[in-house]
Every structure is written in structure tokens, then in C-alpha cells.
């Protein structure tokens, strides 16, 4: 039985095409960055991210900076796995935290929420379309 009181960060309460709702927020994000103490919109234009080559190490820096340390990082590849995650980005993440999960968006949300409810310090990048 999971104890929600153990929660170590925001929970993603709803995910659907084009929309990610994070606990404590009034409006959904299209894409989201979530870390143990908060969340915000993930604006790809800040780092020049695109579906290919995909998620860059610079997309992760803010999550590590705001988290101090993480037990796990979850990266979503989109609803249809269009968003690429280069091996260099995965290796960059693994140098900074023990577990890195790269999953389809709904699976990524499930894994992220599961880890938060277990009391782990987890952050994630979530893409809500393709």
C-alpha cells in the first residue's frame, strides 16, 4: 500500500495528448519539467530542442540544478515515441543520478508517480504529443 503522505514531490495528476497536469498547478502544461520541489513548462526553444536529435544534456541541467541530488530521472519520448533521446544524453544523466528511465509518455508518467510515492527524489521531462 502506497502512502501518499510520503510523497517526495509533485504528482502528475492527468496526462493526455497535448496536456500534462501537475499537482499544485491550475493549468496544464504542453510539455513539462518536474523536480522534487516544483514544475514548469518545458520550452524547447530555450535549448533548441527538436524531435531529432532530441533531448539534449542542456535540457536536463535545470533539473539537476534545482534538485541538488536525484535518485532517478524520467524522460518521456512522447505519446508515439517520436522524441529522440540520444545515448549521450542518457550517459550524461547516469553520471548525475542512479536511475534513468526513457519511456513512452504515459509509461513515463506512471513510473514517475510511482517513484515519487515511494519517497524517491525524482525529476522528469515530459512531452505530451507525438
Amino acid at each position: 500500500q502506497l502512502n501518499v503522505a510520503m510523497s517526495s514531490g509533485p504528482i502528475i495528476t492527468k496526462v493526455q495528448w497535448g496536456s500534462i497536469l501537475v499537482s499544485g498547478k491550475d493549468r496544464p502544461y504542453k510539455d513539462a519539467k518536474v523536480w522534487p520541489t516544483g514544475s514548469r513548462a518545458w520550452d524547447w526553444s530555450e535549448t533548441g530542442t527538436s524531435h531529432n536529435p532530441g533531448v539534449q544534456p542542456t535540457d536536463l541541467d535545470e533539473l539537476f540544478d534545482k534538485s541538488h541530488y536525484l535518485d532517478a530521472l524520467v524522460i518521456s519520448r512522447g505519446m508515439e515515441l517520436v522524441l529522440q533521446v540520444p545515448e549521450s544524453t542518457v550517459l550524461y544523466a547516469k553520471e548525475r543520478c542512479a536511475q534513468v528511465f526513457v519511456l513512452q509518455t504515459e509509461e513515463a508518467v506512471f513510473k514517475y508517480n510511482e517513484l515519487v510515492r515511494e519517497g524517491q527524489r525524482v525529476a522528469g521531462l515530459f512531452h505530451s504529443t507525438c
Side-chain angles (χ1 to χ4, degrees):
Q1 182 178 355
L2 296 174
N3 181 351
V4 177
M6 270 179 61
S7 179
S8 57
I11 292 289
I12 297 172
T13 57
K14 186 175 183 182
V15 62
Q16 62 190 42
W17 188 273
S19 176
I20 298 169
L21 188 58
V22 178
S23 62
K25 298 294 174 183
D26 296 333
R27 297 170 180 247
Y29 302 117
K30 178 181 176 279
D31 298 313
K33 287 186 171 189
V34 187
W35 59 92
T37 58
S39 66
R40 76 172 183 93
W42 176 20
D43 180 354
W44 291 17
S45 69
E46 293 172 353
T47 55
T49 296
S50 60
H51 287 100
N52 196 342
V55 180
Q56 302 300 302
T58 51
D59 291 310
L60 308 178
D61 286 339
E62 180 180 15
L63 298 176
F64 293 119
D65 291 347
K66 290 189 174 191
S67 302
H68 305 294
Y69 78 91
L70 290 171
D71 296 311
L73 176 69
V74 179
I75 302 171
S76 90
R77 290 202 44 215
M79 296 294 215
E80 297 172 356
L81 300 170
V82 174
L83 179 60
Q84 301 301 302
V85 181
E87 187 63 24
S88 57
T89 299
V90 174
L91 291 172
Y92 181 82
K94 285 182 176 177
E95 290 171 359
R96 289 158 179 76
C97 69
Q99 300 178 86
V100 179
F101 300 93
V102 178
L103 301 163
Q104 185 269 353
T105 297
E106 288 136 325
E107 294 171 2
V109 167
F110 181 85
K111 175 55 83 175
Y112 168 86
N113 284 341
E114 179 181 58
L115 293 168
V116 169
R117 287 186 175 115
E118 288 173 0
Q120 294 194 44
R121 288 183 55 84
V122 58
L125 287 177
F126 300 93
H127 177 46
S128 71
T129 60
C130 48

